[in-house]
């Protein structure tokens, strides 16, 4: 009987491994950049075309490889990073499994050029689908160049699962930023389709952050520094007033390796407790240095998750160090016992005596006396002297008033306003108004009586539906009303965010936004939609970028739909907002005037109906 279990061929095993290592072009960028860093390169260039689908090329000036290493690096589990199992607990490099290049070579066309400093000639190796096509000597500069072409050429099903170029490009930018932030001493340049996106010369950590995210990033940063036996923390956090809706600018680096940690993120949010608005996220760039033997980084294929030995102590240290920094730089509210100079006595009044008012009282005045003095017996000071006009007794004011009034009435027709007194408390029209009146419950729901019972409307979802259909109609007919601003708004964004906004510019213009200019690090807006206030513009755009962080839809309808949903979510009246009776009625009427009033743009019910029979059943128990 033949055996059932067989060894897989190398090219099949490499394709299976590629499923873990290479998920998208950004995975290739990550592996090649980290290899260049491990090769002690001081200048690294990243070149991509068509969001990495056609070409991903990384050029470095590192150590280079010999002819033997150049062939061996494409074998499975071939690595220069570790020698024995104990090395896994004292890692100082990026990759260590030795599967990256073998997996990439199995699903793409690879051309590698490498040369060591002491060699006269370098080596040019071409591999297609794990097969060596050619190997020859070449005149090359010091370092290594990897060109990965036609990714997933032999796995068309996997290639079809790739997202749009915008989405894939954004993932590549994310991976590039993570490596560049971890190594500010290396010169990085990034080119996409022939245009330069990033040019990052060697600098310190703060300058590298500013060069990547541009805008007013330098004003937002608060330095954090804490050195203990367990961990050494350095980096920056943002001021609370610059918090955003999205979680884009949040970076943890452990031993110069980017990681994701919900536990450490919670520690930072705890440090900001009471300083952030609801739903806002702070930016942070934190570099943690811990002993290598106290962490395990081999728990995830992408090595972005780490297991710490003493997480509780690390949590407490991180939270307290950030709290200390926020208080030290007067970001968090503190008790200040210093004397306020504004409360001091002004200089010109400091040596003057206070002037007291003088009061003179008439001791002979008797309020019960019938005799009224013609003149007051007391006198005021010269500064406060007043004259009182002598008038006759008050009865003389009404002498002859009756006769004059009768004469006036005879000669002139006078109409007097008076309140109309009705026999009942409500007339018929008032009763109708009371029946149709709306009520707000807990600043969340609107109750409206109807003939069969009552309708209970969720005010936030209802307003989302109304705004959604308004924005969608405006973008469809391209006739949105816009209100011009007296002073244009300058809004600062990162390069990645500005690129997304430029892609959405036409759709946003159809909602009422007017873009006056676009610079390297900011945009100028001179007009906004009529139902958007000036203070809400930045919040609306931040929410829109956050909602579209996975990419902009390709066709225009899906793009308009996504923008309308995001803007409706940002501008809709929130739960806990008091609405006047008129606002309640307008919202209810606007909801039932919609094409689909039953659900919100996010497919959640906007209202429920309770019949009188349902209420009767409640009371029949």
């Amino acid at each position: 009987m033949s055996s059932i279990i067989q060894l897989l061929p190398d090219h099949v095993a490499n394709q299976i491994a590629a499923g873990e290592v290479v998920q998208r072009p950004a995975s290739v960028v990550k592996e090649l950049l980290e290899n260049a860093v491990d090769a002690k390169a001081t200048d690294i260039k990243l070149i991509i075309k068509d969001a990495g689908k056609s070409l991903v090329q990384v050029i470095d000036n590192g150590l280079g490889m010999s002819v033997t290493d150049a062939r061996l690096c494409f074998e499975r589990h071939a690595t220069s990073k570790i020698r024995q199992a104990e090395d896994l607990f004292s890692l100082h490099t990026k990759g260590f499994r030795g599967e990256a290049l073998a997996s990439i070579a199995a699903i793409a066309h690879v051309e590698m050029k490498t040369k060591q400093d002491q060699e006269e000639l370098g080596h040019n190796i071409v591999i297609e689908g794990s097969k060596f096509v050619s190997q020859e000597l070449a005149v090359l500069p010091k370092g290594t160049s990897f060109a990965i072409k036609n990714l997933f050429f032999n796995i068309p099903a996997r290639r079809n699962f790739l997202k749009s170029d915008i989405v894939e490009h954004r993932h590549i930018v994310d991976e590039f930023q993570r490596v560049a932030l971890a190594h500010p001493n290396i010169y990085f340049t990034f080119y996409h389709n022939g245009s330069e996106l990033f040019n990052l010369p060697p600098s310190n950590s703060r300058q590298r952050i500013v060069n990547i995210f541009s805008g007013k990033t330098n004003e937002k940063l608060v330095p954090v520094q804490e050195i203990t036996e367990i961990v050494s923390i350095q980096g920056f956090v943002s001021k609370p007033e610059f918090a955003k809706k999205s979680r884009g600018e949040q970076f943890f680096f452990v031993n110069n390796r980017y990681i994701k940690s919900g536990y450490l993120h919670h520690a930072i949010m705890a440090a900001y407790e009471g300083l952030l608005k609801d739903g806002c996220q702070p930016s942070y760039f934190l570099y943690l240095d811990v002993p290598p033997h106290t962490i395990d980084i081999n728990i995830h294929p992408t090595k972005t998750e780490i297991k710490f030995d003493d997480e509780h102590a690390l949590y407490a240290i991180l939270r307290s160090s950030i709290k200390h920094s926020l208080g030290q730089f007067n970001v968090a509210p503190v008790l200040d016992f210093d004397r306020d100079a504004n409360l001091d006595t002004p200089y010109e009044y400091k040596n003057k005596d206070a002037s007291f008012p003088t009061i003179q009282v008439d001791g002979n005045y008797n309020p019960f006396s019938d005799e009224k003095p013609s003149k007051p017996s007391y006198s005021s000071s010269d500064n406060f002297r007043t004259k009182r006009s002598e008038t006759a007794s008050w009865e003389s004011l009404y002498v002859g008033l009756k006769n004059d009034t009768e004469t006036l009435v005879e000669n002139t027709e006078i109409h007097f306003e008076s309140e109309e007194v009705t026999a009942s408390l409500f007339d018929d029209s008032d009763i109708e108004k009371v029946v149709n009146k709306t009520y707000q419950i807990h600043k969340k729901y609107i109750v409206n009586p109807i003939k069969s019972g009552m309708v209970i409307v969720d005010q936030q979802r209802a307003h989302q539906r109304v705004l959604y259909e308004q924005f969608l109609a405006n973008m469809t007919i391209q006739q949105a009303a816009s209100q011009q601003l007296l002073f244009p708004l300058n809004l600062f964004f990162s390069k990645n965010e500005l690129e997304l906004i430029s892609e959405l510019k036409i759709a946003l213009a159809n909602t009422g936004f007017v873009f006056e200019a676009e610079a390297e690090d900011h945009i100028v807006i001179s007009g906004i939609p009529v139902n958007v206030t000036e203070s809400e513009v930045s919040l609306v755009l931040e929410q829109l970028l956050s909602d579209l962080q996975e990419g902009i839809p390709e066709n225009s309808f899906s793009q308009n739909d996504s923008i309308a949903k995001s803007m409706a979510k940002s501008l809709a009246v929130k739960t806990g907002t008091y609405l006047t009776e008129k606002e309640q009625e307008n919202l209810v009427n606007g909801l039932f005037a919609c094409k689909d009033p039953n659900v919100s743009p996010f497919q959640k019910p906007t209202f429920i109906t309770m019949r009188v029979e349902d209420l009767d059943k409640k009371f029949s128990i």
Side-chain angles (χ1 to χ4, degrees):
M1 183 176 179
S2 61
S3 60
I4 299 176
I5 300 176
Q6 298 179 357
L7 289 174
L8 287 174
D10 286 342
H11 69 280
V12 177
N14 287 336
Q15 288 188 5
I16 295 174
E20 292 184 357
V21 179
V22 185
Q23 301 174 356
R24 54 188 355 134
S27 305
V28 177
V29 172
K30 175 181 181 294
E31 297 292 345
L32 296 182
L33 288 178
E34 290 181 348
N35 284 345
V37 172
D38 287 337
K40 296 180 173 54
T42 58
D43 189 346
I44 300 176
K45 294 181 175 64
L46 171 62
I47 303 170
I48 63 172
K49 290 183 179 179
D50 299 329
K53 298 176 183 177
S54 300
L55 173 67
V56 174
Q57 185 175 9
V58 174
I59 305 172
D60 67 70
N61 62 346
L63 299 176
M65 288 182 281
S66 64
V67 60
T68 304
D69 290 341
R71 289 293 298 264
L72 194 60
C73 71
F74 290 103
E75 299 295 331
R76 292 190 67 206
H77 306 300
T79 179
S80 63
K81 314 299 174 61
I82 60 175
R83 290 289 182 268
Q84 52 190 356
E86 288 74 13
D87 294 341
L88 290 172
F89 301 100
S90 60
L91 287 171
H92 297 278
T93 57
K94 303 295 184 184
F96 54 86
R97 294 190 305 174
E99 288 184 307
L101 293 179
S103 302
I104 294 171
I107 55 174
H109 297 163
V110 179
E111 182 179 3
M112 183 187 72
K113 299 177 181 179
T114 182
K115 174 184 173 295
Q116 292 180 319
D117 193 17
Q118 65 273 18
E119 299 290 336
E120 294 183 359
L121 296 175
H123 304 277
N124 187 1
I125 298 177
V126 178
I127 302 175
E128 295 180 0
S130 295
K131 297 180 181 179
F132 280 85
V133 177
S134 64
Q135 177 179 347
E136 55 188 13
L137 296 174
V139 178
L140 301 170
K142 173 197 171 185
T144 305
S145 170
F146 278 97
I148 313 301
K149 305 175 183 177
N150 304 322
L151 195 64
F152 299 123
F153 79 99
N154 54 355
I155 313 178
R158 191 68 180 276
R159 189 179 181 89
N160 292 335
F161 275 99
L162 293 178
K163 300 292 183 65
S164 64
D165 287 355
I166 298 174
V167 179
E168 298 299 338
H169 172 67
R170 176 156 190 177
H171 284 287
I172 291 175
V173 172
D174 289 341
E175 294 294 346
F176 175 81
Q177 289 176 350
R178 293 166 185 173
V179 178
L181 286 171
H183 302 278
N185 58 322
I186 299 178
Y187 200 128
F188 284 95
T189 49
F190 183 8
Y191 300 90
H192 181 219
N193 291 338
S195 61
E196 183 181 86
L197 295 184
F198 292 95
N199 190 332
L200 309 175
S203 60
N204 54 30
S205 298
R206 188 182 192 116
Q207 189 61 43
R208 176 56 58 90
I209 295 170
V210 173
N211 288 339
I212 290 179
F213 295 99
S214 64
K216 294 187 177 181
T217 307
N218 195 35
E219 302 176 11
K220 307 175 185 179
L221 301 180
V222 176
V224 178
Q225 186 170 7
E226 191 71 32
I227 299 176
T228 65
E229 296 179 356
I230 300 175
V231 62
S232 174
I233 302 175
Q234 290 185 343
F236 304 90
V237 295
S238 67
K239 298 177 182 178
E241 61 266 27
F242 293 103
K244 295 183 177 181
K245 293 286 185 181
S246 62
R247 298 181 57 175
E249 299 178 5
Q250 296 180 345
F251 296 88
F252 278 117
F253 299 97
V254 176
N255 296 351
N256 288 333
R257 181 192 300 274
Y258 171 80
I259 67 159
K260 299 177 182 178
S261 176
Y263 189 69
L264 296 183
H265 173 75
H266 189 275
I268 294 178
M269 297 302 294
Y272 276 91
E273 186 177 4
L275 300 177
L276 299 175
K277 297 178 182 178
D278 292 338
C280 290
Q281 296 283 337
S283 301
Y284 52 80
F285 311 86
L286 296 174
Y287 301 82
L288 282 64
D289 190 6
V290 299
H293 65 274
T294 62
I295 57 175
D296 183 5
I297 60 177
N298 197 25
I299 62 175
H300 193 272
T302 60
K303 300 183 287 294
T304 56
E305 296 181 10
I306 289 182
K307 178 67 177 175
F308 296 94
D309 283 353
D310 195 351
E311 288 185 337
H312 297 289
L314 190 60
Y315 182 100
I317 294 171
L318 183 60
R319 182 182 62 177
S320 61
S321 61
I322 293 176
K323 270 192 172 184
H324 174 71
S325 295
L326 293 176
Q328 182 180 6
F329 291 92
N330 294 326
V331 175
V334 294
L335 291 176
D336 187 6
F337 295 100
D338 293 338
R339 179 176 54 82
D340 188 356
N342 293 326
L343 300 179
D344 292 346
T345 305
Y347 177 77
E348 60 269 18
Y349 291 99
K350 189 172 183 180
N351 298 322
K352 288 185 178 181
D353 296 332
S355 59
F356 296 95
T358 57
I359 300 175
Q360 295 183 4
V361 181
D362 182 10
N364 298 324
Y365 174 70
N366 185 4
F368 302 100
S369 174
D370 294 335
E371 298 179 359
K372 295 185 178 179
S374 58
K375 292 183 180 181
S377 59
Y378 63 89
S379 60
S380 302
S381 61
D382 294 338
N383 294 334
F384 302 99
R385 183 165 302 179
T386 59
K387 295 181 179 180
R388 295 185 59 182
S389 60
E390 297 181 2
T391 58
S393 59
W394 60 271
E395 291 88 350
S396 62
L397 297 175
Y398 298 91
V399 174
L401 180 61
K402 182 175 181 181
N403 296 332
D404 294 341
T405 305
E406 290 176 354
T407 305
L408 184 64
V409 171
E410 290 176 0
N411 299 330
T412 308
E413 184 179 357
I414 299 177
H415 298 281
F416 295 94
E417 294 184 0
S418 63
E419 293 184 1
E420 182 181 355
V421 180
T422 57
S424 61
L425 186 60
F426 301 105
D427 60 8
D428 294 339
S429 61
D430 289 334
I431 292 175
E432 188 68 23
K433 290 180 181 179
V434 172
V435 170
N436 293 330
K437 186 176 181 180
T438 58
Y439 304 91
Q440 189 180 29
I441 300 178
H442 293 297
K443 299 180 181 179
K444 184 177 183 180
Y445 300 107
I446 299 174
V447 179
N448 188 30
I450 56 176
K451 291 182 179 180
S452 60
M454 62 179 175
V455 175
I456 304 176
V457 179
D458 187 310
Q459 65 182 34
Q460 183 173 358
R461 295 180 184 177
H463 200 204
Q464 286 177 354
R465 165 54 64 176
V466 173
L467 293 176
Y468 168 73
E469 293 199 2
Q470 288 178 0
F471 286 127
L472 204 58
N474 291 336
M475 286 187 284
T476 303
I477 63 177
Q478 300 181 359
Q479 292 181 354
S482 177
Q483 52 180 335
Q484 297 300 310
L485 298 175
L486 183 61
F487 301 102
L489 290 176
N490 294 326
L491 301 180
F492 291 83
F493 295 97
S494 64
K495 291 183 179 178
N496 203 20
E497 292 172 336
L498 287 174
E499 186 176 350
L500 290 177
I501 292 176
S502 63
E503 295 286 339
L504 301 170
K505 186 178 291 186
I506 297 177
L508 289 174
N510 292 332
T511 64
F513 285 99
V514 178
F515 296 91
E516 185 173 306
E518 184 174 347
E520 256 187 41
D521 57 350
H522 71 279
I523 57 174
V524 181
I525 297 178
S526 60
I528 57 178
V530 292
N531 50 358
V532 179
T533 61
E534 188 174 343
S535 60
E536 293 175 332
V537 175
S538 60
L539 298 177
V540 170
L541 293 180
E542 285 179 10
Q543 182 67 53
L544 178 61
L545 295 174
S546 175
D547 293 339
L548 297 177
Q549 60 183 349
E550 290 301 321
I552 302 171
E554 291 292 332
N555 58 67
S556 60
F557 176 78
S558 299
Q559 191 177 113
N560 293 344
D561 183 71
S562 301
I563 294 174
K565 285 181 179 179
S566 177
M567 294 181 64
K569 181 171 66 174
S570 301
L571 299 172
V573 60
K574 301 297 186 291
T575 298
T577 304
Y578 170 75
L579 300 179
T580 63
E581 183 178 340
K582 190 66 176 177
E583 291 172 338
Q584 297 172 28
E585 293 177 0
N586 291 339
L587 182 56
V588 173
N589 294 335
L591 174 65
F592 291 103
C594 293
K595 295 180 180 179
D596 187 8
N598 298 315
V599 293
S600 71
F602 307 98
Q603 302 304 312
K604 294 182 180 179
T606 57
F607 68 91
I608 60 173
T609 304
M610 291 192 67
R611 299 178 302 168
V612 177
E613 292 81 357
D614 298 332
L615 295 175
D616 292 339
K617 290 179 182 179
K618 297 289 184 180
F619 287 99
S620 64
I621 299 176

